[in-house]
């Protein structure tokens, strides 16, 4: 693997270029999404206005060890009154590109991908959330590294998936250490490529999330330099395509789906061993990796509130200040409390 070394000014220009290209791609897909066809679930709406969920297909975007694995482990995939078509993505940014283009109806992502998508004026609406803590959101260094603090990353090569939750964690960790985002040599890599670069010594550090943190620790004996605990909000979100929300049948299925996600999240807190086993089976990761990841994650489903939106706005503003995103924007336009009245009750068994 060839790693390009840039001057500080060159790195800054390259960083802005990468962000610009990503936003341009999303903007292009936004126009495509705006012209996308209807969901295909129109026939599920009966003449009396009720919905026959057996005629509905919900297309869901997923990530490694994500919603499908969680729902399966918790027994929430059985007896679904509608069909689910799953599409798997390497991380949040490409998942939201697909959402924006109308290729999926809903998908789960971390706290940062919606901000990059919103900056490109993409088609998305965040409809539910959960706090997972942030102990598994880390910056790791190789076992032989002499780096012992974030401040020592100045001038170093750091792998991160730009636009992912790890991107904000890296930004926040650098700021806490008195460094700017452009003080490091950012290597924009998807997780699998970043793992290869980290394992082969082509990068000095890796900003990542679980289960990759656990994988790096157990397989490469990586050392954790910093965690996001107490620094980042640790949120994950379910984001929907606005066109799916406008379609009565799809929106009805989505309500049930979101409730199942919440129930599964609550279940995972009480059945860690079983959840870790299914997660390992779904991803092909060793049981030890998923157990380690599960044991430092506690899911707290949360409704979409002004406090959560304000936290995301703070993050967006930080990216703009760091010149990673081009201009300020209103985050609240991309969040909806539409399902607040029903989704939180699933956490207490108040609604099926």
């Amino acid at each position: 693997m060839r790693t390009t070394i840039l001057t500080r000014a060159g790195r800054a220009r390259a960083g802005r270029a990468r962000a610009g290209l990503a936003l341009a791609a999303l903007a292009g897909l936004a126009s495509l999404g705006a012209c996308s066809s209807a969901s295909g679930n129109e026939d599920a709406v009966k003449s009396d206005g009720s919905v026959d969920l057996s005629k509905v297909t919900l297309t869901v975007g997923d990530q490694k060890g994500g919603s499908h694995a969680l729902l399966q482990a918790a027994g929430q995939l059985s007896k679904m009154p509608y069909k689910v078509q799953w599409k798997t993505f390497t991380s949040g940014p490409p998942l939201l590109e697909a959402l924006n283009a109308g290729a999926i109806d809903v998908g789960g992502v971390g706290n940062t991908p919606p901000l990059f998508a919103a900056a490109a004026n993409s088609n998305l609406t965040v409809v539910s959330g959960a706090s997972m803590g942030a102990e598994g959101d880390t910056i790791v260094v190789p076992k032989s590294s002499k780096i012992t603090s974030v401040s020592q990353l100045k001038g170093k090569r750091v792998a991160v998936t730009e636009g992912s939750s790890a991107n904000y964690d890296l930004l926040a960790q650098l700021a806490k250490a008195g460094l700017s985002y452009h003080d490091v040599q950012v290597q924009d890599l998807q997780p699998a490529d970043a793992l290869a670069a980290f394992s082969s010594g082509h990068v000095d550090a890796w900003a990542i999330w679980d289960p990759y943190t656990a994988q790096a620790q157990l397989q490469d004996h990586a050392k954790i330099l910093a965690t996001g605990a107490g620094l980042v909000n640790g949120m994950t979100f379910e984001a929907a395509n606005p066109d799916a929300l406008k379609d009565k049948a799809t929106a009805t299925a989505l309500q049930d789906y979101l409730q199942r996600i919440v129930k599964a999240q609550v279940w995972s807190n009480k059945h860690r061993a079983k959840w870790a086993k299914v997660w390992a089976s779904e991803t092909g990761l060793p049981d030890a990796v998923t157990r380690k990841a599960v044991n430092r994650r506690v899911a707290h489903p949360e409704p979409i509130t002004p406090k959560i939106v304000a936290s995301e706005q703070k993050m967006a503003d930080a990216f703009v200040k760091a010149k990673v995103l081009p201009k300020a924007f209103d985050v609240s336009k991309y969040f909806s409390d539409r399902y607040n009245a029903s989704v939180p009750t699933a956490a207490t068994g108040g609604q099926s």
Side-chain angles (χ1 to χ4, degrees), residues 8 154 170-171 174-175 177-186 322:
R8 184 175 302 175
K154 186 173 183 178
L170 175 61
L171 181 73
L174 291 171
L179 299 178
S180 80
Y181 189 67
H182 306 293
D183 280 331
V184 299
Q185 299 181 50
V186 173

Side-chain angles (χ1 to χ4, degrees), residues 53-320:
L53 285 175
S54 68
K55 296 182 178 180
V56 174
T57 297
L58 196 63
T59 307
V60 180
D62 199 16
Q63 297 184 53
K64 185 177 183 179
S67 301
H68 183 274
L70 178 62
L71 290 169
Q72 180 179 342
Q76 289 295 327
L77 285 181
S78 63
K79 297 182 180 179
M80 273 187 168
Y82 45 87
K83 301 178 183 67
V84 176
Q85 180 182 7
W86 296 94
K87 295 187 178 182
T88 305
F89 301 87
T90 57
S91 63
L95 186 154
L96 290 187
E97 289 177 11
L99 183 80
N100 173 57
I104 59 175
D105 298 314
V106 65
V109 295
N111 59 8
T112 302
L115 303 180
F116 276 65
N121 198 30
S122 297
N123 288 325
L124 83 155
T125 302
V126 175
V127 290
S128 72
S131 171
M132 297 291 181
E135 190 179 345
D137 299 330
T138 67
I139 300 175
V140 296
V141 295
K143 63 178 181 179
S144 60
S145 176
K146 296 181 180 180
I147 297 172
T148 59
S149 67
V150 174
S151 62
Q152 293 175 326
L153 291 177
K154 186 173 183 178
K156 303 298 184 181
R157 299 161 298 180
V158 182
V160 67
T161 303
E162 291 198 316
S164 71
S165 59
N167 200 168
Y168 181 73
D169 185 35
L170 175 61
L171 181 73
Q173 297 287 1
L174 291 171
K176 182 180 178 182
L179 299 178
S180 80
Y181 189 67
H182 306 293
D183 280 331
V184 299
Q185 299 181 50
V186 173
Q187 309 293 304
D188 182 14
L189 299 170
Q190 288 296 315
D193 293 330
L195 176 60
F198 183 82
S199 299
S200 60
H202 284 90
V203 294
D204 301 298
W206 183 17
I208 198 58
W209 60 91
D210 266 329
Y212 300 104
T213 294
Q215 187 176 13
Q217 283 183 283
L218 294 178
Q219 294 183 356
D220 289 292
H221 306 289
K223 298 182 295 186
I224 292 180
L225 194 63
T227 78
L231 184 64
V232 301
N233 63 21
M235 292 295 298
T236 62
F237 295 112
E238 293 293 327
N241 185 294
D243 291 337
L245 297 175
K246 294 174 185 176
D247 180 82
K248 184 173 183 178
T250 308
T252 301
L254 182 58
Q255 179 174 338
D256 176 84
Y257 175 79
L258 294 176
Q259 290 171 351
R260 289 174 185 268
I261 287 288
V262 169
K263 288 182 177 181
Q265 288 168 339
V266 173
W267 174 92
S268 71
N269 295 332
K270 302 175 182 178
H271 302 85
R272 294 182 178 277
K274 185 175 181 180
W275 165 216
K277 185 176 181 179
V278 174
W279 194 356
S281 177
E282 283 280 306
T283 60
L285 289 169
D287 289 353
V289 170
T290 55
R291 284 199 306 271
K292 192 172 189 67
V294 164
N295 286 337
R296 58 184 166 211
R297 176 185 294 186
V298 179
H300 295 288
E302 297 187 28
I304 301 301
T305 62
K307 181 179 179 180
I308 287 175
V309 175
S311 176
E312 292 290 301
Q313 184 69 62
K314 180 180 178 181
M315 292 169 57
D317 293 342
F319 276 118
V320 173

